[in-house]
Amino acid sequence: MRPKIILISALVLALAFDLGLAAATGGQDQTSAYPAQELLKLGHQRVFEGQSLKEIAFPLGGVGTGTVSLGGRGNLRDWEIFNRPDKGVNLPFTFFSLYFEEEGRKPLVRVLEGPLTPPFTGQDGIPRDGVPGLPRMETARFIGEYPFAQVELGDRKIPLQITLEAFNPFIPLKPEESGVPAVVFRYRIKNLSSRPVKITVAGSILNPVGFEGEGTIDSVGHPKFGANVNRVRKESGLSGLLMSSQKVKPESPSFGTVALTTTWKDITYLSHWVRGDWWDDLQIFWDDFRQDGRLKDLDDASPSPDGRTDIGTLGLLASLAPFEEVELPFILSWNFPNVLNYFDIIPARRGSVLKNHYAQQFADAWAAADYLARNLQPLEKETRKFKDAFFGSTLPAFVLDAVSSQAATIRTAACLWLADGSFFGFEGCDDQGGCCPLNCAHVWNYEQSLAFLFPTLEKSMRETDFLNNLKPDGAMAFRTSLPLDPKVLWDFRPAADGQMGRVINLYRDWQVSGDTSFLKRIWPKVRKALEYAWVQWDADRDGLLEGEQHNTYDIEFIGPNSMLSGFYLGALLAGQRMAEAVGDVDASREFRDVFDKGRRKYEELLWNGEYYVQKYDKVMEKKYQYGDGCLSDQLLGQWLGMVAGLGRFLPEDHIKTALGSIYHYNFLTDFSEHSNAQRTYALNDEKGLLTCSWPKGGRPPLPFPYSDEVWTGIEYQVASHLIYEDRLFEGLSIVKAARDRYDGWRRNPWDEIECGHHYVRAMSSWGLLLGLSGFEYSAPEMRMGFEPKVYPDDFRGFWCVGSGWGEYYQKAADKVQWVVGLKVISGDLSLKEFSFKLPAAAKLLRVTAGVGSLSLKAGVKVQGDRVTVSWPKPILLKAGEDLHLDVKLQ
Amino acid sequence: MRPKIILISALVLALAFDLGLAAATGGQDQTSAYPAQELLKLGHQRVFEGQSLKEIAFPLGGVGTGTVSLGGRGNLRDWEIFNRPDKGVNLPFTFFSLYFEEEGRKPLVRVLEGPLTPPFTGQDGIPRDGVPGLPRMETARFIGEYPFAQVELGDRKIPLQITLEAFNPFIPLKPEESGVPAVVFRYRIKNLSSRPVKITVAGSILNPVGFEGEGTIDSVGHPKFGANVNRVRKESGLSGLLMSSQKVKPESPSFGTVALTTTWKDITYLSHWVRGDWWDDLQIFWDDFRQDGRLKDLDDASPSPDGRTDIGTLGLLASLAPFEEVELPFILSWNFPNVLNYFDIIPARRGSVLKNHYAQQFADAWAAADYLARNLQPLEKETRKFKDAFFGSTLPAFVLDAVSSQAATIRTAACLWLADGSFFGFEGCDDQGGCCPLNCAHVWNYEQSLAFLFPTLEKSMRETDFLNNLKPDGAMAFRTSLPLDPKVLWDFRPAADGQMGRVINLYRDWQVSGDTSFLKRIWPKVRKALEYAWVQWDADRDGLLEGEQHNTYDIEFIGPNSMLSGFYLGALLAGQRMAEAVGDVDASREFRDVFDKGRRKYEELLWNGEYYVQKYDKVMEKKYQYGDGCLSDQLLGQWLGMVAGLGRFLPEDHIKTALGSIYHYNFLTDFSEHSNAQRTYALNDEKGLLTCSWPKGGRPPLPFPYSDEVWTGIEYQVASHLIYEDRLFEGLSIVKAARDRYDGWRRNPWDEIECGHHYVRAMSSWGLLLGLSGFEYSAPEMRMGFEPKVYPDDFRGFWCVGSGWGEYYQKAADKVQWVVGLKVISGDLSLKEFSFKLPAAAKLLRVTAGVGSLSLKAGVKVQGDRVTVSWPKPILLKAGEDLHLDVKLQ
């Protein structure tokens, strides 16, 4: 699927030149922080080794189930399956190990992890719970292609090729199938020796039931433990350990089960290690294991003594002929149905217990494992199709990394999916709890990944926004309190960006889903939310927001300003279009009027020739403003509009120039001279985009908090906007800078941090995919279009909308023959119009359309370099079908 | 003082060969884990750079005052001045910064620290309290020569040579002078530019009064803060900030003061930063500072609002002509008089408040700074003399490192020095508290550094052992409860090693001090303590301990065994000698009888031809024994005897052979195949000495805990014993292995870890100095002798005993002329006998002795290669005087 590497290298040079010139249409020339070759490089994802393995934590688990992360060394870390974020919590004595016996030689044993790395400074040496004293593999290499992670383990003394693959089902548009509380761990082991070998791969795991998900577990002893039961079950398709507790009551937040299972037949096990003094348990287990790779096959379901739990082990046995390969599968699954509301924005509501969605589907951890074992083939197949289509794109590898890694946030503990199907999210994860609660409108604004991958979950957030969180006067509570109740809302001023942004987001969701009936249902609320601007911020309806505008910087901007009024214009335009669609003629006209007025005033008042500013005369006295600053978020509303399908509503030349100014003034290629009294996300010789700068002076003595910071969520929106506007190398430079900071040594690539881990703002990165594909879609209008910004001669890209997902490709066979195609891989797609862009300076001679061997009669319209193919009646593309266009040029 | 490097290189090769052959007199050939050149390398201490700076924390502060540590980057960390260990506690916004203005150029500002290093994974980025967003110096290099630390800071844009030197007075035999709760920070700055420059070095510090010393301080806000007062004081010799709290009551454990002062005249200051919202405080301070390097000179002693404290800044201003150099001095001092007994071994006694010794000397932090400022010159001079004498030795650099770095433990929070002069120590420091309490006899047994450097403090521990902790039946409580009260003792079985070891330790202390009247005073108790063996472990008085012998491995060995009976033999011999000295003839005879019996039985029963073992027939069934194992501590009692001056009491050939076996069997040069279910202090490709091994089989299924671990305290005692017994390269290999593990990247060189940080067992490292010097001393007999194990042709070594300290040197002028000398640098020394060793194969022709220009008539005795010079009446060497011997050979 991917063009061969040898071709790419040649292409890169040609393209770098072409695209560089083609894109420099803004007010300034583009500058690039990296060589073009680096920015356009395709190919495999990064391989992490050595010190870069240290911070790797690749989240595994289903949507709404919490996660356990796979560390770079092949270790399991950050067990956040207990319904709250909890960075740093490990399950003691939970690890995979290998017994290896080459015929005629002394057996060897290894922990199946790469070596531990410094520091080794614990108060008692290296904490024992990670079995640091046992021999382990010499080397580890980690590759993540979300949702698949792979760890290759090597050791000079062990002639085996060992690869751990870990994943779980993750299928766009299928949240249920993507929401199984389980992980597949598959050890692919090949005998590289010329002798037969015997191996055991054993998974040991601590029964954690009773732990409340906060803080750490340091040993088998904990006051909440006791009466823990490990039961060995052997069923037709599945064997393993089911771990529970007789002490924890079913209604308790810590109630639940964990299972470690396998579909492998030849097993050995210990329901629990010896309950001894000192360190007898590990000593006896390890001595037993290393002797012959077989355990006692103990099946003792007696509960553990009070105050302590047990560790159990499941081993998979195999004999391998020389050069034979085997796959040894484990399934780790869990079930913790009760979600303690420890986090509510209304403190008095804390303490209630909510129910997880997944717990409705699965009675316990065993049931989840059983479901996964029975359905693994189709689930894995479709997950792989997604991964192959996505990573098979001709988008730069680091862009795919930025997009896919942040989509993982959907399934971290940053998000909740409750029994009634409602979906919620924190802004991110503090080390030991969600922060801040919940569905924060001004942060979630930026997020696009959920909206495109799982639009039904995104829709739940719109329902919460408009049907629950709107107060009688039209102000939207921009944080959600649980359980949902429109009469019990957070009592805080509304956020202008959050409130206006949600209207644009709704427009996007409507375009993605085509669900006009839903739009009609909530329209009165949407209108009220938008009109609230006239109550609070634009009483004179001149199209600019005035007064105090609370926003995502956690302060209020005062007076007309680029950022908030940009949001407002986008919301007005979205409102106008939606009003039209639902037949609300008055609203449509009024919104349009205000929009038109606003658009003019916005230019008159806020454009300074290089970028848009804030107009407020007390900017040097009043705290926390930006005035003449060049704000990276100044075009945020316009960007949301681009993503949503509203198109440009500000002048194109100003957009391009302003984006160029943002890049020029705010993108630092070195932080060593940067003075930042705020929080620090980029430093030393790192590169990054500042939230704001004052290139023309006028920096207030105390500008708004965060003004000197670097947020990936903003970086991706600006980068994607630059790319939309053909400032390709600038956009890609920003993305590469961000991903270079998250290099596994300095930070975890699957955990971008702002106010918390897995910060949802960074899900703006989906915009990169849209921007680089030049993607346009309207479900209501049944039209789709592409305009690839990279590799137009041989482009392949992933797309996903409400009804289906697949690939788009275009390829030049020669100078006059092109193939353009749209493949539906899952779901379906109804189209009345399809458009693409001609190569530079080419003229269309003829285009023929077909699906499979069937040719379709189509109308063809050419506007400039844009070709639109249309059908009087919609065509329906089903999964597996290609819309195929043969394009002849002259 | 130090031989020139060019000579050394030549010497090393010759010596390596000579010494290697000369020393291989044991049962096995020596093997070395490193090239001899590396093991004998002299010269400067390690320079830490880059990633090796990460774990550096060099403790600064007085004996018994707690410490603050200097990090490798020049940062302050681990503020343990609040009367308890607390690793990881930083004072927010506490840092030094530089304003730099080169004439005619734009000023630059820097935090005076090297760059931050990954990970950067905090939930909000890098924690703000360390001002990560401010520009800082590009490079840092750290060198520690305890008690002096030095950080060189560099930056391409700043043409200054900047060296921070930090230290405090630390003078052997002078605990009072070494016990000032203060640190000197001195910035030595040289202008390397050809233009005049203006600089300010500013120290900012948070007023921490109210903090209770447990956990962390993350910001100015904390419930215990409030009514904190920063007062600017300008006195004739001293100016700066005195920080206190009006909220904390004088009797509270958190009551106290901190001062940041200077003797520099040209200053600028802020008594407190602006008390603002958000991050106004740092923003305003930094913007003020960076503008012109001058602060507002705010002197506002109004208390801080409740729940928050203040940050103050003291800046030192200077103008430097081209190539001019300046020294800018700061004194940081503190006073927290009240020690909460949170730690008592008897839980019911916890909660009482004890008083620090230092708080009797100084009314508050200002008084301590004032004392130090007034007396800095003599105190620093004598501290430097100590450092120069010590680091000027011709001992391998890593040995000096091992000895000096662990002596720092004396002044960490592992030790307490109370108002009545009594001195106590934990085993080490857990992350947030001492562990385990207090004066643990079996751990402190190994410690030699305090005994030689501060024998009066060591004496306090003997008083506690024998006058307080002895129960009526003679059993010694091996942990101490406070306040001292012989009627309130810890109710736990006695430790055989602790109890016997303390008798040997007492003998050592008597030899070091010559304080026979003290010995007489406590003799009845000592006799009782020793005779308790006959009650508990050797009822048949056969000279071997039997039954259950609790010991430092926290379990009981059963039956006769090398380790405990070795202790017993040493104690009996020490007891016999001390009984003789105090005129207790019966005891002397009886101890000797039992000793003689025991010595024979020890050989008959426990020697296996290669090493000494445990004889117990249920070793495979009963848990936690060692049986036929080769225990690294098997000769511990004999080693304590060597250090104490008892000499060999086991057969020399067996000692040498057993030591060789310990090295051969227990020293691992790689841990990658080691299976250890216990705690981990060495791993991967590190080298280290195992506590035990079973080279001939017979490893019990559950051997004693710690058997598979690596403890530096044992490593140093074994290494030093190997060196005593001329197994030089083996001994040095062990030391180098340990110090290589503590390389600043993996572990902190000034914090060796066992059950806690700064573990006191590692103060066995003083034995290396004794062993390599071949040092012998008896104050009661007024004799001293040396027999250097390295560089005998040009040796220089440090010595310290109860009455004084100085240098020993011997040097070959040519093949027949030698100079041998003993220099007293501080205190004095009375001698009746002085001995040294002739070069190999040399015969003495003549020796003349003198002090200064005065020649002394002396008797000369030659026994083999050993020359003893003696005087009928003792000679008294005073500080500054040399005993000088001209030795003619034939």
Side-chain angles (χ1 to χ4, degrees), chain A residues 540-746:
Chain A
D540 61 2
R541 303 195 195 181
D542 70 347
L544 292 189
L545 299 187
E546 282 125 28
E548 299 194 349
Q549 301 148 55
H550 189 75
N551 61 60
T552 201
Y553 307 121
D554 297 331
I555 44 75
E556 290 74 40
F557 285 148
I558 306 175
N561 66 81
S562 56
M563 177 175 162
L564 281 313
S565 284
F567 264 103
Y568 181 38
L569 291 175
L572 287 167
L573 183 57
Q576 181 240 320
R577 298 226 182 133
M578 291 187 286
E580 230 167 65
V582 302
D584 186 343
V585 181
D586 291 350
S588 170
R589 193 179 47 238
E590 177 124 39
F591 291 150
R592 183 75 208 189
D593 284 352
V594 180
F595 170 76
D596 284 336
K597 271 189 259 175
R599 196 151 60 146
R600 277 192 302 276
K601 288 200 79 168
Y602 191 87
E603 293 303 317
E604 285 163 25
L605 204 61
L606 304 180
W607 181 248
N608 77 352
E610 286 194 76
Y611 53 86
Y612 296 97
V613 299
Q614 177 190 22
K615 282 293 172 194
Y616 176 51
D617 53 8
K618 293 189 184 138
V619 96
M620 301 306 276
E621 299 114 70
K622 179 82 183 172
K623 285 182 180 180
Y624 311 141
Q625 306 301 308
Y626 70 99
D628 288 336
C630 179
L631 189 71
S632 283
D633 268 343
Q634 63 184 278
L635 293 172
L636 175 54
Q638 172 63 78
W639 174 74
L640 287 175
M642 293 299 282
V643 169
L646 288 171
R648 293 186 196 97
F649 52 78
L650 298 176
E652 181 173 349
D653 59 337
H654 286 189
I655 294 172
K656 288 187 198 299
T657 302
L659 286 167
S661 300
I662 292 170
Y663 180 84
H664 181 67
Y665 294 126
N666 295 2
F667 186 63
L668 294 193
T669 55
D670 186 293
F671 276 73
S672 57
E673 212 61 55
H674 181 57
S675 272
N676 168 21
Q678 304 165 6
R679 299 169 304 175
T680 299
Y681 304 99
L683 71 165
N684 298 341
D685 59 353
E686 294 180 328
K687 301 173 174 61
L689 186 77
L690 296 177
T691 307
C692 197
S693 72
W694 285 265
K696 300 166 183 300
R699 178 185 162 106
L702 291 169
F704 68 95
Y706 317 144
S707 60
D708 299 327
E709 299 184 355
V710 174
W711 296 353
T712 60
I714 295 180
E715 289 180 298
Y716 295 142
Q717 76 90 351
V718 169
S720 135
H721 208 173
L722 282 159
I723 291 166
Y724 268 118
E725 295 296 351
D726 289 323
R727 304 188 71 108
L728 180 68
F729 295 142
E730 295 173 341
L732 292 178
S733 291
I734 294 174
V735 180
K736 182 154 172 55
R739 293 309 288 171
D740 281 356
R741 298 199 305 271
Y742 285 82
D743 65 354
W745 174 49
R746 292 178 281 192

Side-chain angles (χ1 to χ4, degrees), chain B residues 188-219:
Chain B
R188 199 160 51 241
I189 298 184
K190 184 172 183 174
N191 179 8
L192 300 178
S193 111
S194 54
R195 302 169 182 224
V197 303
K198 285 184 188 167
I199 58 173
T200 308
V201 173
S204 296
I205 181 167
L206 177 131
N207 178 334
V209 183
F211 176 62
E212 289 171 337
E214 196 180 0
T216 58
I217 315 174
D218 300 326
S219 72

Side-chain angles (χ1 to χ4, degrees), chain B residues 248-561:
Chain B
V248 180
K249 298 283 176 296
E251 64 279 11
S252 162
S254 55
F255 176 78
T257 48
V258 173
L260 182 66
T261 55
T262 185
T263 52
W264 194 252
K265 298 295 172 198
D266 193 4
I267 63 170
T268 183
Y269 50 83
L270 280 179
S271 55
H272 63 81
W273 292 3
V274 166
R275 297 163 182 160
D277 306 315
W278 283 95
W279 305 320
D280 300 355
D281 50 2
L282 176 59
Q283 186 77 62
I284 293 170
F285 158 70
W286 191 247
D287 286 342
D288 183 11
F289 180 68
R290 70 203 285 214
Q291 203 183 355
D292 58 4
R294 286 179 181 275
L295 304 169
K296 280 192 195 359
D297 286 358
L298 175 78
D299 179 8
D300 168 20
S302 69
S304 66
D306 198 41
R308 53 167 290 161
T309 185
D310 280 326
I311 300 145
T313 301
L314 171 66
L316 280 50
L317 304 160
S319 296
L320 297 179
F323 305 103
E324 188 183 350
E325 189 173 63
V326 70
E327 287 189 350
L328 298 176
F330 290 88
I331 295 175
L332 171 72
S333 58
W334 60 89
N335 195 302
F336 291 91
N338 305 324
V339 182
L340 178 68
N341 180 350
Y342 63 87
F343 48 73
D344 211 275
I345 190 67
I346 303 175
R349 301 190 82 194
R350 290 177 198 160
S352 66
V353 174
L354 312 159
K355 289 280 176 189
N356 265 326
H357 178 74
Y358 77 79
Q360 312 297 304
Q361 325 301 312
F362 306 109
D364 62 10
W366 192 272
D370 191 59
Y371 166 84
L372 189 54
R374 286 175 201 279
N375 297 281
L376 187 57
Q377 212 215 345
L379 291 172
E380 179 173 354
K381 194 172 164 192
E382 214 166 352
T383 302
R384 273 194 202 282
K385 277 186 185 170
F386 161 57
K387 180 240 182 189
D388 290 343
F390 185 88
F391 286 97
S393 309
T394 56
L395 267 50
F398 66 86
V399 171
L400 295 175
D401 182 37
V403 176
S404 69
S405 63
Q406 298 318 295
T409 294
I410 295 169
R411 74 169 176 209
T412 66
C415 297
L416 297 175
W417 190 11
L418 298 186
D420 63 359
S422 55
F423 192 84
F424 303 94
F426 297 94
E427 295 177 28
C429 302
D430 266 358
D431 288 340
Q432 297 194 7
C435 179
C436 302
L438 204 58
N439 289 24
C440 174
H442 58 65
V443 173
W444 275 86
N445 261 346
Y446 295 68
E447 171 274 309
Q448 307 299 335
S449 311
L450 185 73
F452 283 88
L453 284 169
F454 299 108
T456 56
L457 300 182
E458 183 76 36
K459 178 183 175 185
S460 150
M461 298 188 103
R462 285 305 80 67
E463 290 176 315
T464 301
D465 292 332
F466 291 105
L467 300 180
N468 188 79
N469 285 353
L470 220 61
K471 298 175 187 173
D473 65 353
M476 186 185 286
F478 69 84
R479 297 187 189 278
T480 299
S481 173
L482 289 182
L484 290 180
D485 181 347
K487 293 185 296 299
V488 189
L489 298 179
W490 185 39
D491 178 28
F492 190 80
R493 69 189 76 99
D497 51 354
Q499 181 138 358
M500 297 299 110
R502 282 339 217 171
V503 175
I504 311 178
N505 289 162
L506 176 69
Y507 181 82
R508 170 199 63 197
D509 299 341
W510 174 49
Q511 293 298 303
V512 167
S513 69
D515 189 352
T516 307
S517 67
F518 173 63
L519 179 64
K520 281 185 177 150
R521 181 157 68 88
I522 67 167
W523 173 250
K525 296 284 195 176
V526 179
R527 177 174 169 175
K528 187 154 191 114
L530 180 47
E531 288 178 354
Y532 180 74
W534 304 338
V535 178
Q536 186 64 26
W537 301 297
D538 184 25
D540 61 3
R541 303 193 193 182
D542 69 348
L544 292 190
L545 299 188
E546 282 126 27
E548 298 193 351
Q549 300 148 56
H550 188 75
N551 60 61
T552 201
Y553 307 121
D554 298 329
I555 45 75
E556 291 75 39
F557 285 148
I558 306 174
N561 64 81

Side-chain angles (χ1 to χ4, degrees), chain A residues 55 110 116 118-120 123 126 128 133 157 277 280 286 431 623-624 673-677 680 684 746 756, chain B residues 110 116 119-120 123 126 128 133 157 277 280 286 431 623-624 673-677 680 684 746 754 756:
Chain A
E55 297 303 321
R110 291 290 184 270
L116 297 170
F120 302 137
Q123 65 181 22
I126 308 166
R128 270 191 76 244
K157 294 191 200 151
D277 306 316
D280 300 356
W286 191 247
D431 288 341
K623 285 182 180 180
Y624 311 141
E673 212 61 55
H674 181 57
S675 272
N676 168 21
T680 299
N684 298 341
R746 292 178 281 192
Chain B
R110 291 288 185 272
L116 297 170
F120 302 137
Q123 65 181 21
I126 309 166
R128 270 191 77 245
K157 295 192 200 150
D277 306 315
D280 300 355
W286 191 247
D431 288 340
K623 284 181 180 183
Y624 312 141
E673 211 62 53
H674 181 57
S675 271
N676 168 21
T680 299
N684 298 340
R746 291 178 281 193
E754 191 192 305

Side-chain angles (χ1 to χ4, degrees), chain A residues 342-401:
Chain A
Y342 62 86
F343 48 74
D344 210 274
I345 190 67
I346 302 176
R349 300 191 82 195
R350 290 177 199 158
S352 67
V353 174
L354 312 160
K355 289 280 175 189
N356 265 326
H357 178 74
Y358 77 76
Q360 313 296 305
Q361 324 302 312
F362 307 108
D364 62 10
W366 192 272
D370 191 57
Y371 166 84
L372 189 53
R374 286 175 201 278
N375 298 282
L376 187 57
Q377 213 215 344
L379 292 172
E380 179 174 354
K381 194 173 163 192
E382 214 166 353
T383 302
R384 273 194 203 282
K385 277 186 188 172
F386 161 58
K387 179 242 184 187
D388 290 343
F390 185 88
F391 287 97
S393 308
T394 57
L395 267 49
F398 65 87
V399 171
L400 295 176
D401 182 38

